[in-house]
Amino acid sequence: MNKLVLITGATSGIGLSCARKFAENGDRLILTGRNEQRLTEIKKELTDQGTDVLTLAFDVRDREKATKYIAELPAEWQQIDVLVNNAGLALGLEPEYEGSLDDWETMIDTNIKGLLTMTRIIVPGMVKRNSGHIINVGSVAGDAAYAGGNVYCATKAAVKALSDGLRIDVADTAVRVTNLKPGLVETNFSNIRFRGDNDRAANVYKGIKPLTGDDIADVAVFAANAPEHVQIAEVLILATHQASGSVIVRKP
């Protein structure tokens, strides 16, 4: 059965891949992001392929705007079946004692508080209907810290804890919760982390075939379409030559 799927951070990377993969699955989409022009372009791409798409341009850090936009959804777009909490980012790779307070605030407000805002707005409707699925995009970085990862790793550890806690809270309902934990994925993630330093970003993936956004999106779609009695609680997805967040074997 086709679903209504809301994806945050849908203008690039894993979020965009999720939009395309859920569209291929025949689902209707609500896509959110900060870049209104990119949302318009993606909407045209997917509607030209026959997908029903509604776009909402806002930053998940803006609680008031997020609440307003979701509350004002047209009636036919209000029953959200799947929430993909994807919006997130990493900034910098400095030691914790040299990190930027502004970078920390941005990561915490986006990766943790933004996820909580969308969860708080949308999940009550799922509980009321006794149906729904929350897919949080966490990271292998949430399992153990790596050098320079400090605050980013902490935010993704929070995503794991929040996913586990929500799963406990809705265990008496048919609502499901999935935490996806990607490893090395080649998107614009590293370009953002290193503020457009493309050479430094490229070195992150040197000597290894990394995952793609599509690889993660495939898992998200699979989890969302598992039989109703099956809850895929957590999935760690790594490149073949990556063993953990810090163990990566690079080959010439």
Side-chain angles (χ1 to χ4, degrees), residues 5-19 22 29-35 39 54 56-61 66 70 80 82-89 110-111 113-119 121-122 134-137 156:
V5 182
L6 187 151
I7 304 167
T8 67
T11 57
S12 63
I14 293 171
L16 177 55
S17 289
C18 282
F22 277 105
L29 303 176
I30 300 174
L31 306 180
T32 85
R34 294 176 296 169
N35 188 329
L39 286 172
L54 185 149
L56 302 173
F58 67 87
D59 190 326
V60 293
R61 294 178 295 172
I70 300 302
I80 295 164
V82 180
L83 166 62
V84 181
N85 275 318
N86 165 74
L89 77 167
T110 305
N111 300 0
K113 292 165 70 175
L115 178 147
L116 280 170
T117 292
M118 298 306 295
T119 299
I121 294 169
I122 292 170
I134 303 93
I135 299 175
N136 291 331
V137 179
K156 290 304 183 178

Side-chain angles (χ1 to χ4, degrees), residues 207-226:
I208 186 172
K209 184 173 182 178
L211 302 167
T212 67
D214 285 354
D215 295 326
I216 311 308
D218 282 336
V219 180
V221 173
F222 179 84
N225 288 279

Side-chain angles (χ1 to χ4, degrees), residues 184-197:
L184 205 60
V185 183
E186 187 168 14
T187 63
N188 62 346
F189 175 89
S190 292
N191 302 77
I192 293 171
R193 165 169 261 172
F194 300 128
R195 294 177 173 79
D197 186 335

Side-chain angles (χ1 to χ4, degrees), residues 129-155:
R129 295 189 302 271
N130 195 36
S131 175
H133 195 158
I134 303 93
I135 299 175
N136 291 331
V137 179
S139 172
V140 63
D143 288 346
Y146 56 77
N150 44 75
V151 174
Y152 173 71
C153 294
T155 66

